[in-house]
Amino acid sequence: MFTLTNLNNFVGQSEVVAANMPEPKPFERLPAAVQPTHYNITLQPNLVKCVFQGSEEITLDIKESTREIKLNTLELSLRDIKVRLGDGESVLPSTTDISTTTETATLSFDRPLPAGTATLSLSFSGELNDKMKGMYRSKYTSEDGEERYSAVTQFEATDARRCFPCWDEPALKATFDITLVVPHDRVPLSNMPEESRVPHESDSNLQVVKFSRSPLMSTYLVAVVVGEYDHVEDTSSDGIKVRVYTPMGKQEQGKFALEVATKVLPYYKEYFKIAYPLPKMDLIAIADFSVGAMENWGLVTYRETCLLVDPHNTSASQRQWIALVVGHELAHQWFGNLVTMEWWTHLWLNEGYATFVEFLCVDHLFPEYDIWTQFVTNTYVRALELDCLKNSHPIEVPVGHPSEVDEIFDDISYSKGASVIRMLHCYLGDKDFRAGMNKYLTRHQYGNTYTEDLWTALSEASKKPVAEVMSTWTKQTGFPMITVASHQDGDNRVLTLTQQRFLADGSAGDSSQWMVPISISTQEDPSKVAQELLLESRTMQVVLENVSQSTWVKLNPGTVGYYRTQYPPEMLTQLIPAIQDKCLPPLDRLGVFNDLFSMVQAGHTSTVEVLKVLRAFEDEEDFTVWSAVHNCVARLNQLLSHTDFHSTFAAFVRQLFSRIGQRLGWEAKPGEKHLDTLLRSLVLGQLGLYGDEGVVGEARKRLSAHVAHTTTLPADLRSPVYKTVVAQADEKTYEQMLKLYREADLHEEKDRISRSLGATRDPNLIQRVLQFAMSSEVRNQDTVFVIISVAMTAPGRSAAWAFFKKHYQELVDRYEGGYLVTRLIKYITENFTSEDMAREVEAFFKDRQIPGTERTVQQSLETIRLNAAWLNRDQQSIKKYLADLHL
């Protein structure tokens, strides 16, 4: 599954005292006495009444004689339940107990069912809900303008039970025969290819479509879609038929994803040395979808913005995003689908690995993206920022009740998981890493695994102590700070390295210790690793031969190690000129800066030190380095937005970005690099946000021409222009933006506009944007992101929080907890900067615990208190430093 954390460019941090998490809800796995081996399922969705009915026969393996059968079901009506025993006898349950609390049905029988094979048959019915989970309805407008619905499924983590009664646990794999009863004019899709299609025997408007039998798979990977779609298709070089399904009339928009998918499948086949095991691969754009994408085996579902590319209206950053999402979901076809985690505790095996591999694959297909450098700012840094909180969690989290699963689809499972796998890949080398992966996938194909199974395979391939090293990274919360001390011994430089847990509040941390792969580079050859070692103890010494005291030394070249580095002032001072003259490679420039910024947030160093170093970047030209600078500036902006010297800070930022802004200008240069296109959007957006008069004036002029249809704004400039103009908008401009939104046909463009509306600073318009977010004009999947966009500005922050409190019940009812509500709570609360606000947020959620959001609330409270401490600590020194610059 691909979540939408990266999609929003909403910068946020986190944390202060580890709070008491609520007691886990009581939970038991399904009894092992009865297990499914095969499902034969028929589903008939009614796309007008938005209900569905179905029937199933489940082949059971009764391991030991039992008087009851327990399976999962939720929000379904069950009837006609019977069990046919191996000797042909049919047995009816004496009672059927359905529990919404445990999400189970318990069938009790008057006499024990004997061990052996049996068949459970039943019929069921349910609603095509609007919660984007289970089997739900997705609204679209037909080509003749009529509002209609598709039927779509989203089962991960535990929502297959909302569509058909089942043993809804990842380890209880079975084969599936799916049959769909659908109207003649609708496209029916499932995991496997269509096997037969015949008219319905009693209703001439319907057809019965049967799909081939699936391989052994988990219930959460079953998928069904019924609707009106066009498609484009091609065959990959390894013979797999690939189709991309799009809304009607938009098949052109599926071509980029098709091109990516047909190249990705053979790349993974070669990388894993295992062929894709299904005969087809479908990718489909869904109008209403809660996450980014879902890896259902053979039928991957996507948000439209994560799959469709309009050559005239899709930005370069969105195209890159789509390549990553496609790479991520197709990696899951092996890593997650062919081999599946035994339980949700090991979710990171799916998500961390797929996140790592998506970058591997996109780097192979699109080297011009320089995607591994972007990995550091988008993935690695995001993980470190969350993981330094006391309320973080280990990569492996013991998970029980289904409501706890949604909450670990977070930056730890995805981003920390991917970051430690990247570190492991570097430690083992690509050859041994690939050999270990092949061993793991071959040994466990069609089965289930624990994290330790992966370490075993990688250890066998590399002959290195993988389990010992990696268990320190997956079973402990947090990561180390490596403190460096340096002295000279003749011609040799001697470094003393000491590790301790890094915490966002600057406290000493606990006694946690990691086995840390350390690498070191020196001024003599900045792009080469001079020394590698494994730090296994609290402290150790390293001798660098023939390295003088007057040259710089840097830990963690390439920013691969998952740790922070704290240099003494003299070593840091030596690195600053190497940033300015770009002797340090981009990943190292941003690594030094990012480590310093983390020290500032933790109170180890003054914020003024970061402001001084920022000025070393005025001649920087690398997009990813500027991304790191932008992330830092955005954090400082949120912190300082309520101070009386915010205008001075804005002037500082305008000066910082002015040189690169002048170099790039507004117009794309012939043959310019992909990364320069991304950089122009970033820089103009920053200059507009902080009130550069020239940029604001030009943005207004270009938007007017765009609205008047005289000159179309390039897609890459739309977001910065929209936000710049909306930030200064009056009612007339706001109405213009709404008109653009209503006219937009591409979902990406609707997203861009709706998320720009939050940039307004006008109190009346802020209220209008919040009301608009909840209106029928905005899809449920997008509402939370519009509200979040409001919360990103100082005037909008309090308004968004007040709005959330007022509409709390409506939002909870709309989403029934889950990923989107978790995101919303995080972003509307974590940027407050006072103890009073921390208490208010704490009091509000004390009486209103939403399942699956408890950890997020604690992380936000910690972050608010960290912000308050940071502001209190450095506010006056920042004010004085900025005033002395006479900007």
Side-chain angles (χ1 to χ4, degrees):
M1 191 153 77
F2 203 100
T3 62
L4 294 166
T5 318
N6 308 359
L7 193 64
N8 316 298
N9 300 320
F10 295 136
V11 178
Q13 249 273 114
S14 311
E15 277 212 302
V16 156
V17 268
N20 297 321
M21 290 291 290
E23 282 295 308
K25 293 184 179 142
F27 174 76
E28 285 182 358
R29 303 260 296 257
L30 293 170
V34 181
Q35 295 185 356
T37 58
H38 177 70
Y39 294 82
N40 187 350
I41 303 170
T42 299
L43 293 167
Q44 182 175 347
N46 184 320
L47 302 175
V48 177
K49 294 180 179 174
C50 291
V51 293
F52 66 91
Q53 57 189 11
S55 60
E56 63 183 339
E57 290 189 340
I58 309 172
T59 307
L60 303 177
D61 177 9
I62 301 177
K63 306 269 187 196
E64 56 191 59
S65 177
T66 179
R67 283 178 178 272
E68 68 175 37
I69 295 175
K70 185 182 274 193
L71 69 165
N72 295 115
T73 183
L74 185 61
E75 296 176 358
L76 295 175
S77 300
L78 311 187
R79 61 188 183 279
D80 305 331
I81 304 170
K82 68 178 179 187
V83 173
R84 192 171 68 251
L85 301 175
D87 61 6
E89 181 190 359
S90 287
V91 185
L92 303 180
S94 52
T95 61
T96 300
D97 177 31
I98 294 179
S99 165
T100 52
T101 308
T102 60
E103 304 182 359
T104 56
T106 304
L107 315 178
S108 300
F109 297 86
D110 288 335
R111 61 185 173 86
L113 304 176
T117 302
T119 305
L120 169 65
S121 62
L122 52 86
S123 299
F124 52 90
S125 56
E127 179 195 4
L128 288 176
N129 68 68
D130 61 354
K131 312 289 185 206
M132 294 179 283
K133 53 177 74 172
M135 191 176 196
Y136 68 92
R137 61 185 186 264
S138 175
K139 186 167 68 175
Y140 65 98
T141 304
S142 68
E143 289 188 292
D144 57 7
E146 185 187 338
E147 201 171 87
R148 293 179 186 166
Y149 291 99
S150 299
V152 183
T153 57
Q154 168 58 33
F155 291 162
E156 191 176 24
T158 56
D159 288 318
R161 64 193 68 178
R162 292 174 187 263
C163 180
F164 54 92
C166 57
W167 277 255
D168 201 8
E169 297 183 1
L172 298 176
K173 289 189 169 184
T175 52
F176 291 82
D177 285 335
I178 304 283
T179 301
L180 296 177
V181 181
V182 298
H184 280 287
D185 59 353
R186 296 295 187 270
V187 174
L189 297 170
S190 188
N191 306 80
M192 298 298 289
E194 192 177 304
E195 193 171 80
S196 66
R197 184 183 290 230
V198 296
H200 191 275
E201 54 191 33
S202 60
D203 188 337
S204 59
N205 294 315
L206 298 176
Q207 56 186 336
V208 179
V209 182
K210 185 171 171 46
F211 297 88
S212 303
R213 180 164 297 186
S214 78
L216 273 175
M217 60 192 272
S218 304
T219 49
Y220 79 89
L221 294 168
V222 175
V224 164
V225 177
V226 179
E228 294 179 280
Y229 298 96
D230 274 335
H231 71 268
V232 286
E233 75 174 76
D234 199 356
T235 303
S236 66
S237 61
D238 55 343
I240 306 298
K241 182 194 275 189
V242 183
R243 285 184 170 181
V244 175
Y245 286 85
T246 72
M248 295 293 283
K250 294 186 179 180
Q251 59 264 60
E252 286 292 307
Q253 294 178 14
K255 285 187 172 176
F256 176 74
L258 180 68
E259 181 190 334
V260 173
T262 50
K263 289 176 180 172
V264 166
L265 287 171
Y267 172 76
Y268 285 155
K269 177 186 176 183
E270 170 60 26
Y271 194 85
F272 299 133
K273 294 284 185 268
I274 294 177
Y276 172 68
L278 271 58
K280 62 96 172 173
M281 167 50 66
D282 294 336
L283 299 79
I284 183 165
I286 304 296
D288 294 288
F289 203 65
S290 64
V291 290
M294 176 61 210
E295 67 267 19
N296 317 298
W297 216 355
L299 175 56
V300 182
T301 42
Y302 294 80
R303 260 188 194 225
E304 290 186 3
T305 53
C306 294
L307 190 69
L308 304 182
V309 169
D310 177 335
H312 306 294
N313 293 298
T314 294
S315 65
S317 59
Q318 197 68 19
R319 193 180 287 255
Q320 174 183 293
W321 169 260
I322 288 166
L324 285 168
V325 180
V326 171
H328 181 98
E329 300 309 326
L330 297 195
H332 275 312
Q333 306 302 303
W334 285 263
F335 219 93
N337 300 7
L338 180 64
V339 178
T340 311
M341 75 258 145
E342 195 278 337
W343 184 246
W344 301 107
T345 296
H346 308 277
L347 171 74
W348 87 278
L349 273 179
N350 271 17
E351 299 305 347
Y353 189 80
T355 303
F356 169 76
V357 173
E358 81 193 46
F359 282 86
L360 211 58
C361 139
V362 168
D363 184 53
H364 172 75
L365 296 182
F366 302 99
E368 68 275 17
Y369 288 2
D370 190 20
I371 205 71
W372 277 117
T373 311
Q374 295 188 60
F375 174 92
V376 173
T377 49
N378 292 338
T379 305
Y380 168 95
V381 168
R382 182 175 274 119
L384 289 170
E385 288 180 344
L386 178 58
D387 204 22
C388 63
L389 300 185
K390 289 175 180 169
N391 285 297
S392 181
H393 62 82
I395 282 179
E396 282 193 350
V397 188
V399 170
H401 195 275
S403 70
E404 296 167 22
V405 180
D406 274 342
E407 204 169 16
I408 59 166
F409 283 93
D410 67 358
D411 283 331
I412 300 298
S413 293
Y414 285 76
S415 301
K416 181 178 181 178
S419 297
V420 298
I421 288 171
R422 175 171 170 255
M423 178 170 68
L424 176 64
H425 176 265
C426 186
Y427 172 59
L428 299 182
D430 189 62
K431 182 165 172 272
D432 286 349
F433 183 83
R434 288 172 75 159
M437 293 313 312
N438 172 260
K439 220 178 250 281
Y440 170 80
L441 289 168
T442 304
R443 184 178 291 164
H444 300 288
Q445 57 188 318
Y446 302 106
N448 295 82
T449 57
Y450 300 86
T451 298
E452 290 70 23
D453 296 317
L454 178 57
W455 301 156
T456 300
L458 290 167
S459 292
E460 288 171 11
S462 67
K463 308 290 186 283
K464 286 186 176 177
V466 175
E468 290 87 334
V469 172
M470 294 308 291
S471 61
T472 67
W473 297 97
T474 61
K475 294 187 185 300
Q476 299 185 113
T477 303
F479 57 89
M481 170 174 73
I482 309 297
T483 303
V484 188
S486 168
H487 71 268
Q488 206 67 17
D489 182 8
D491 292 337
N492 301 335
R493 188 89 163 263
V494 181
L495 303 183
T496 303
L497 309 181
T498 307
Q499 66 160 301
Q500 69 176 66
R501 183 175 171 190
F502 178 79
L503 286 169
D505 66 354
S507 61
D510 50 32
S511 59
S512 302
Q513 215 166 291
W514 289 262
M515 292 177 75
V516 192
I518 301 267
S519 51
I520 300 168
S521 62
T522 64
Q523 188 169 325
E524 189 181 346
D525 191 346
S527 59
K528 184 166 165 272
V529 173
Q531 198 153 329
E532 290 180 300
L533 52 114
L534 189 64
L535 176 59
E536 299 181 62
S537 54
R538 178 72 60 197
T539 186
M540 74 181 295
Q541 285 200 331
V542 188
V543 178
L544 300 173
E545 294 181 354
N546 301 314
V547 174
S548 80
Q549 199 162 357
S550 61
T551 62
W552 61 256
V553 170
K554 183 185 180 297
L555 261 65
N556 206 6
T559 315
V560 174
Y562 189 74
Y563 56 86
R564 293 291 192 193
T565 307
Q566 184 180 37
Y567 296 101
E570 63 276 9
M571 286 184 76
L572 189 61
T573 302
Q574 287 175 327
L575 286 164
I576 302 305
I579 290 175
Q580 279 176 306
D581 64 20
K582 305 184 189 67
C583 283
L584 276 176
L587 274 172
D588 293 310
R589 300 202 291 276
L590 73 87
V592 169
F593 175 68
N594 212 272
D595 281 345
L596 175 64
F597 190 53
S598 70
M599 297 303 146
V600 163
Q601 290 171 286
H604 294 305
T605 307
S606 165
T607 307
V608 169
E609 295 308 310
V610 151
L611 295 175
K612 288 176 183 171
V613 173
L614 273 171
R615 303 185 73 187
F617 289 101
E618 287 182 2
D619 290 318
E620 180 59 61
E621 295 182 351
D622 184 88
F623 165 70
T624 317
V625 177
W626 274 114
S627 291
V629 169
H630 157 253
N631 289 345
C632 155
V633 165
R635 286 291 294 122
L636 288 170
N637 182 53
Q638 283 160 349
L639 190 73
L640 302 175
S641 57
H642 292 294
T643 63
D644 59 3
F645 59 91
H646 182 257
S647 59
T648 320
F649 175 70
F652 175 84
V653 179
R654 290 196 298 271
Q655 186 182 73
L656 176 63
F657 280 89
S658 65
R659 233 175 267 177
I660 186 69
Q662 286 162 12
R663 184 180 81 75
L664 290 166
W666 282 84
E667 303 298 337
K669 315 287 189 292
E672 88 176 2
K673 293 178 184 170
H674 168 79
L675 293 176
D676 278 344
T677 306
L678 300 189
L679 182 56
R680 178 177 296 103
S681 176
L682 174 76
V683 170
L684 291 175
Q686 290 297 287
L687 288 167
L689 175 67
Y690 291 99
D692 180 283
E693 288 180 7
V695 170
V696 171
E698 185 66 21
R700 283 184 174 140
K701 192 173 92 183
R702 286 174 181 256
L703 182 63
S704 296
H706 181 70
V707 170
H709 302 297
T710 52
T711 311
T712 302
L713 256 177
D716 295 295
L717 293 181
R718 287 184 201 171
S719 199
V721 165
Y722 293 164
K723 285 178 182 172
T724 297
V725 175
V726 168
Q728 328 270 337
D730 54 15
E731 291 274 345
K732 184 181 168 208
T733 311
Y734 181 76
E735 290 298 335
Q736 271 185 342
M737 295 302 294
L738 280 185
K739 183 169 181 284
L740 277 181
Y741 177 86
R742 287 164 184 151
E743 289 172 354
D745 187 36
L746 183 70
H747 204 101
E748 177 191 336
E749 178 69 357
K750 281 190 180 292
D751 263 5
R752 252 196 303 262
I753 297 166
S754 63
R755 295 176 192 197
S756 300
L757 296 177
T760 181
R761 286 150 199 282
D762 180 302
N764 294 326
L765 291 181
I766 286 171
Q767 291 305 319
R768 285 191 63 185
V769 176
L770 291 167
Q771 294 297 337
F772 170 73
M774 297 291 283
S775 72
S776 59
E777 286 198 76
V778 177
R779 289 184 182 271
N780 285 358
Q781 64 174 16
D782 302 317
T783 293
V784 297
F785 298 108
V786 181
I787 298 171
I788 287 169
S789 75
V790 173
M792 291 298 107
T793 70
R797 199 164 299 144
S798 301
W801 170 239
F803 185 83
F804 173 81
K805 289 190 293 183
K806 184 179 176 186
H807 294 271
Y808 160 82
Q809 198 55 53
E810 186 181 347
L811 285 160
V812 171
D813 291 345
R814 183 184 284 201
Y815 300 107
E816 291 188 353
Y819 165 77
L820 288 172
V821 172
T822 307
R823 293 288 99 189
L824 180 60
I825 290 170
K826 172 183 165 64
Y827 286 114
I828 63 168
T829 58
E830 71 176 6
N831 292 317
F832 289 119
T833 57
S834 70
E835 177 59 30
D836 286 349
M837 281 311 303
R839 286 200 197 104
E840 184 179 318
V841 172
E842 195 165 23
F844 181 81
F845 286 108
K846 191 175 181 187
D847 305 322
R848 299 174 183 83
Q849 287 187 359
I850 308 168
T853 63
E854 295 91 348
R855 191 188 304 276
T856 300
V857 170
Q858 296 305 329
Q859 289 169 348
S860 273
L861 291 172
E862 188 177 350
T863 304
I864 296 167
R865 292 184 166 119
L866 283 168
N867 291 341
W870 184 9
L871 193 59
N872 188 46
R873 189 171 61 235
D874 283 359
Q875 182 170 351
Q876 290 311 313
S877 60
I878 297 170
K879 183 176 182 176
K880 181 178 185 310
Y881 174 77
L882 291 173
D884 290 347
L885 291 176
H886 303 294
L887 295 162

